[in-house]
Amino acid sequence: TTPQVTYLEERFGPDNLLVISAKTGQGIATIRNRISQLLQPQMTNSDIMFSLTLRQEQALIQSSQYLNAAMATLSKGESYECAIPDLRKAHQLLGEITGDFLSPDILDRIFSNFCIGK
């Protein structure tokens, strides 16, 4: 361990310290497990129950496909820049679900289901 890690272990305790590396991937599984453990007791069935419209479901499926394509690109050893188009499209689709991004086409589809002004 490095002097910084030793200092942090002494200050916060070894159980409260996670050493991770974005470069090598060291500790990523550990932090995922720790986050899951921290959230698990707080989650109830009502926290995970939700409903999707058909449009949202399709956007979720498509975003998953784009994310898988980006992962495939990266797993082939290609540069991060090659995965950016797929990541952008996935981000846009997820934004359509959350309402952070609404294209004019999406707005037309949403409002076609409502009767406004009658």
Side-chain angles (χ1 to χ4, degrees):
T1 59
T2 67
Q4 294 90 354
V5 171
T6 303
Y7 167 76
L8 292 171
E9 284 178 341
E10 290 171 359
R11 182 159 184 209
F12 299 106
D15 293 337
N16 295 318
L17 182 66
L18 296 174
V19 179
I20 63 168
S21 170
K23 184 176 182 180
T24 67
Q26 173 194 356
I28 299 296
T30 304
I31 197 167
R32 283 183 179 154
N33 289 337
R34 181 70 66 90
I35 291 169
S36 177
Q37 290 170 355
L38 291 171
L39 294 178
Q40 196 65 35
Q42 298 172 5
M43 291 181 66
T44 65
N45 286 340
S46 63
D47 291 333
I48 57 175
M49 296 297 290
F50 59 92
S51 64
L52 295 173
T53 65
L54 180 59
R55 178 189 60 79
Q56 291 170 325
E57 181 181 3
Q58 290 170 342
L60 192 58
I61 291 168
Q62 288 177 325
S63 66
S64 175
Q65 292 168 345
Y66 281 109
L67 290 172
N68 287 333
M71 290 295 293
T73 298
L74 295 174
S75 68
K76 292 178 193 173
E78 296 186 37
S79 70
Y80 291 110
E81 289 83 11
C82 295
I84 288 175
D86 288 325
L87 292 173
R88 280 193 178 135
K89 190 61 179 170
H91 182 258
Q92 176 184 340
L93 288 163
L94 292 171
E96 290 175 5
I97 294 171
T98 63
D100 291 337
F101 174 84
L102 291 174
S103 68
D105 179 52
I106 297 294
L107 291 174
D108 287 343
R109 282 192 276 160
I110 290 171
F111 286 112
S112 70
N113 294 323
F114 296 99
C115 181
I116 298 175
K118 290 189 176 183

